[in-house]
Structures are given as structure tokens and as C-alpha cells.
Amino acid sequence: MATIYDVAELAGVSPATVSRVFNGTNVSEEKVAAVRNAAEKLKFTPNRTARTLRRQSSEVIALVIPDIENPYFTEMARGVEDVASEAGYSVVLCNSDAQVEKEATYLRIAIAENMSGVIIATADERSDLDGVLATGRPVVAVDRSTSYDIDSVTMANRSAGTSATRSLIDAGHRRIAYIGGPAHIDTAAERAAGWRSVLASAHPGHALDELERFTTFRVDGGRSAMEELLALREPPDAVVAGNNLIGVGAIQVLTEHGLTPPEVGVAVIGSLPFTTLSPTAVTVVRLPARHMGVTAARMLLDRIDGDTQPARTVVLRNEVQPASATRR
Amino acid sequence: MATIYDVAELAGVSPATVSRVFNGTNVSEEKVAAVRNAAEKLKFTPNRTARTLRRQSSEVIALVIPDIENPYFTEMARGVEDVASEAGYSVVLCNSDAQVEKEATYLRIAIAENMSGVIIATADERSDLDGVLATGRPVVAVDRSTSYDIDSVTMANRSAGTSATRSLIDAGHRRIAYIGGPAHIDTAAERAAGWRSVLASAHPGHALDELERFTTFRVDGGRSAMEELLALREPPDAVVAGNNLIGVGAIQVLTEHGLTPPEVGVAVIGSLPFTTLSPTAVTVVRLPARHMGVTAARMLLDRIDGDTQPARTVVLRNEVQPASATRR
DNA sequence: ATGAAAGCGCTAACAC
DNA sequence: GTGTTAGCGCTTTCAT
């Protein structure tokens, strides 16, 4: 690989001049031309590692998410990527697999590679951001909030829970269960709280506990919880799914039991990825995944550019698409 | 951030010794202890950028895929990631969006960042690997083959096409259409060829052209092609979908027209991601996405370790799951 | 506007 | 086994 020294020699200038040409500072027209020419001839690509070492920062941001196979997060990733690459940054996708240890490893890498910032959907409430923050790098939390005083982009989780539940009530359902992600993740807890509050006021005095299930944010979680609910002496006549994958699992189980929605009512918090269901059968509370990614990326870039205002918290709205609505 | 010099000073040794401790070469027990101690105290993390610059290679591999939102590719990514991280490598996921230009940008970054290798599902037959290959970095092609003489992992695409089509014939369908990805992508062409050959021998003399559709490997591609097919004066009674997303799109349209499978027969090449359909309604030819990623990663690591044998071509088998089979 | 030179943090000869 | 030292390729003062 050619270096700036090779280019400098061929162009008859100093390495510093070559560097300047590639960084857009004051160089005379002729020299610029000479350098570009030489660079072309040698197929020169500036070595980013060297630049990063020298500059102590690289145009790379880390996006740490708990499940790369969940379309919700890949959609978010697209949002991040679009904004970032527009600004000349690359995005490194890191899959923490919802494990704090893996997450920690990736954060360490982000530091060690001099990345300029991190956008993270934390694995857990035990996620440790001390290390990154100590280096002064900006960190933006997405999807889930943290106990740190940092920028965060979340959405109206509680209201997502209430909207989903209400649409089921409006459709005439009475015994409405909730299946959500791990109770210790704030999004899951908030959505459950929304469900609970609606039911509490609709049917005061009814016991809700046996209708509430906390599981993983994955298809198998939705499946097993739905099986449990169906095995109840008095099964629910509707269910709120706490995220897209839980929704898929729940619907799978219902279908297998011959209870295809809307026979049993289903409201999903999150878009049904690649659904093949009739769009009228299920209520969907669409989450602003992409928008979230876009917003987080913008905030992070601001910080990278030196913005020092107090930590901002952005809460995005959701969009309910009741079971009766027409497609798109 | 602390450097090896800081650690060296605190531990009372030379920087070289610190480096040795972190790279597992011969150092006396006491010094190892002293260094680890000092490192701990200073919260020292080796700076990878510097190491990379010095070593001229980094423990990062690039995985370039055309659609990060397609579960097929994320599943593959998981396979790559698992093998890579086991071996101490990180994986950078790059989304080419099926555009040769974006792909080229990422390949340039891979070079400029001294990454040690690339696994790529090319965007196109015009994909240009000259640059990376010229640097001597190993490149492994996955999913799609290339015109370069490099390791590649693909699967039995033609036979996937024939299996899918046969299962439809076995189920009693006669007028079987095919919707596939862009004709210039080899996987799409091969799968179509499989379909064509089965029909040609089953119904010799029948015209196939009007039943064959090439579109994008995305949901909207499947949707529009299915709409076209249904608009035919003599619509098909079954369809082979060339990939998972096309399958989703086709099934969506069929459902919207009240033709829920198996009313119209559907065979999908690729797993239906997060399907909520009854598993008995649709034939699925499962593709070894994860296995493909695993294999490619192993091959790449071999090459990184200096393996110089001639380029290998691995073709993986698929697994047919006919419409009547039970789940999982 | 341009060049000389120092140095980012690490590793790998090379000496001892 | 351990220290000394010379770079890896780039950017950035500081002179000129």
C-alpha cells in the first residue's frame, strides 16, 4: 500500500502537503493537482489507522444492540446508519445478545479502537457504561433508558401499552392478558403498566396477576407464555404482546390451537415483521424504530461535534393501527 | 487513557515487558503480577489502533451483505460472529444495500482500517474486489459466487428450485409460477433454472415465460410480481418464491385476495421469518444461512492464519420441509 | 503556502 | 528474561 510519503515523492512535495490535500486545507492549485495525480497513479488510500492514532479519534461509531436478529433493531440500525454515513461516519454493529459481559467486551473494543461515540440499547439494568464515559466519549441510550445522565431516545412505552389494551377493549374483549419482556427492563415494565392501568379502570377489582407474563423478548418467549395462558382454567380472550417477536410467538401458538386472530384478540406493541396475516386481524402499535435510530445518531453527532448542553431526553410517539384499519 | 508507558513506570519495568505481558510471551511470574497490578490500577486498555498500525493488521473482519434487514443475512451474520468472536475477532457488519458503490466504500474502509479479511455476499455481478484482493487480504464469498478465484460458500440453489417445485407438483398443483430475485444474480438464476427444469419435464411443451418473474429480493418485489401473476388471464394455481421476503410478499397478496395458502400452493426457498402461518400450509426449503456464515468464517480464519491452498468452493445442502410436515 | 520534525501507542528486532 | 530503540502512517505545530 502506498503511503503519503510515496505520493509526496512522486508529486514533488512534502508529506505534510499531501496530508493537507486530503484534509482540505490551504494548498495551491497546482500542488493539489499534482498530489491528486500522484495519488491516483499509486492508488493511494489514506491509512485510517494511522490517522486515528494520530487524531485520537476515528470516524466510526458503535451501535450496541441486544438482538441483531430482531427486525426492530435492524430497522433502528438503518436509521443510525443513514444519518451516520451521510456525515462521513461508519457504523459498527455490535450484538450484545442481551448479555452484559458481551456488551462490556464491545464497549471495551469501542474504546480501544478510538471510536468516537456509542449508541446503545442496553442489555440490562446492570449495563456498565462507566468505562466509556470515563474516556469522555459521548454515549446515547436508545430504546431503553439508563441510570446514567446521558442523552437518550426512548418512546412512549406506557401509552403504547394503554393504546394496545384499549383497542382490544374497544373490540369487545374482556379478559385481556399481557405478555412482555423481562420485568427488569424498563420498556417491558412500562408497557405492562399501561396494560394494567387500562384494565384496572375498565374492570375494577379484577385480578390481573395471573394474566400477566414476563418472559424474553423473543419468539420462544411469546410461545411459552401463550401456552401457559391457554392452559389457564379460564383462558384470556385477548392478549397484548409486549414486542414484535413475542407477538409472533403468541400468534403462532394461537394458530396452532385453532384460535386464529381475531378469534382471540391480539394487539402487538411493535410492527409484525414480514407478517403474512391479514392486516385487519391484529392491532399493531407501530414503534418508531427507524426514527429512533435517526434521532440518536443526530444527537451523538452533535456531541461528537462538541455540543455540551445538558443531557437531553427525547420521547417519541407511537402510531396505533387498530385491527380494522386498512393496510398502509 | 493510560498507555503501556504509564503501566511500565508504575510496575517498574520497561514498556516492552508490559507489551509482552499482554501478548503472552515469556515474562517472569513476578513481573507479570506487577504489570497486571499496575494495569488494573490505571484501568489500562491496550490501544488497538496503535497495535494495528504497528502490526499492519487488526483482529476485525468485515462482513458485507446486501440487506441487513433480511433475516436470512442476519442469521448468517450470527454464524460468522460466533466463530469469529470465538477466535478473538470482531465482526463489522456492512450493509451494501445491494449497491455496488456503497459496497465499494465499505471495502475501501476495510482496507484503510487494516481489517484482516472480508466475507462478502456481493451486491451484483459488477462487484469489484480487485482493490481488496490487491492488498493480499483474504476474501471469502458467501451466498453468491463471484468471477474471482477465491474461497466461496454457496448452496445448492438449483436443487432448492427443483425441490420446491416438485413439492408443489406432488401436492397436485399444475400451473406453477416462479418469482425470483434479479436474473443477473446467480442464486436467483439457478433457482429459476431448477423450477424451469422440473416443469419442463412435468408438462413438456407448456409455455413457462409468462409464469416467470424476476424482481427484487424484497417483500415489495414479491408483492408486485404476485399481483401481476394474479392478473393473468389464466392465473397460476401455485407459486415458488425465490427467497424468504418474496415469499412473504406473495403470501400477503394471496391472503389479501382471499387465496390463503394452500388454496393457492406456495413453496418458499428460504425460511419464512417469524411466520404466523400454520406450518402445514406452505412448503419451505430451509437454507443453511447460519451454517454458511460459520463455514465462511472458518475458511477466512484459515486464510488469515496463512493457509495458501487453492481456492475452495463449498456447496451446502438445503432441507425441504413440505407443506404437510409438522412444525420444527 | 509549504516543509521539517515530533509524536500518537504499540510491537518486534536486537542487544545484553 | 528484559530493556532499548526504531518505526508503523499519519497529522500538526512551528518555522520559514
Side-chain angles (χ1 to χ4, degrees), chain B residues 56-130:
Chain B
Q56 298 294 325
S57 96
S58 74
E59 273 80 57
V60 175
I61 68 187
L63 172 60
V64 186
I65 55 181
D67 184 4
I68 201 193
E69 295 192 70
N70 185 336
Y72 168 70
F73 287 114
T74 55
E75 188 186 335
M76 195 170 88
R78 282 303 292 264
V80 171
E81 205 197 346
D82 291 349
V83 172
S85 67
E86 182 68 27
Y89 281 74
S90 339
V91 176
V92 173
L93 247 180
C94 309
N95 186 210
S96 72
D97 226 356
Q99 293 170 230
V100 196
E101 306 74 33
K102 274 204 182 186
E103 183 177 83
T105 303
Y106 279 115
L107 291 176
R108 226 174 292 123
I109 292 180
I111 298 172
E113 298 263 17
N114 290 306
M115 297 184 190
S116 28
V118 175
I119 298 177
I120 185 170
T122 53
D124 216 78
E125 79 287 353
R126 306 187 333 272
S127 293
D128 181 4
L129 303 181
D130 292 336

Side-chain angles (χ1 to χ4, degrees), chain A residues 148-165:
Chain A
Y148 294 87
D149 182 34
I150 57 178
D151 288 341
S152 75
V153 188
T154 56
M155 60 197 158
N157 284 301
R158 197 166 202 287
S159 95
T162 57
S163 312
T165 311

Side-chain angles (χ1 to χ4, degrees), chain A residues 66-81:
Chain A
D67 183 4
I68 202 194
E69 296 192 71
N70 185 336
Y72 169 71
F73 288 113
T74 55
E75 187 185 337
M76 196 170 88
R78 282 301 293 266
V80 171
E81 205 197 346

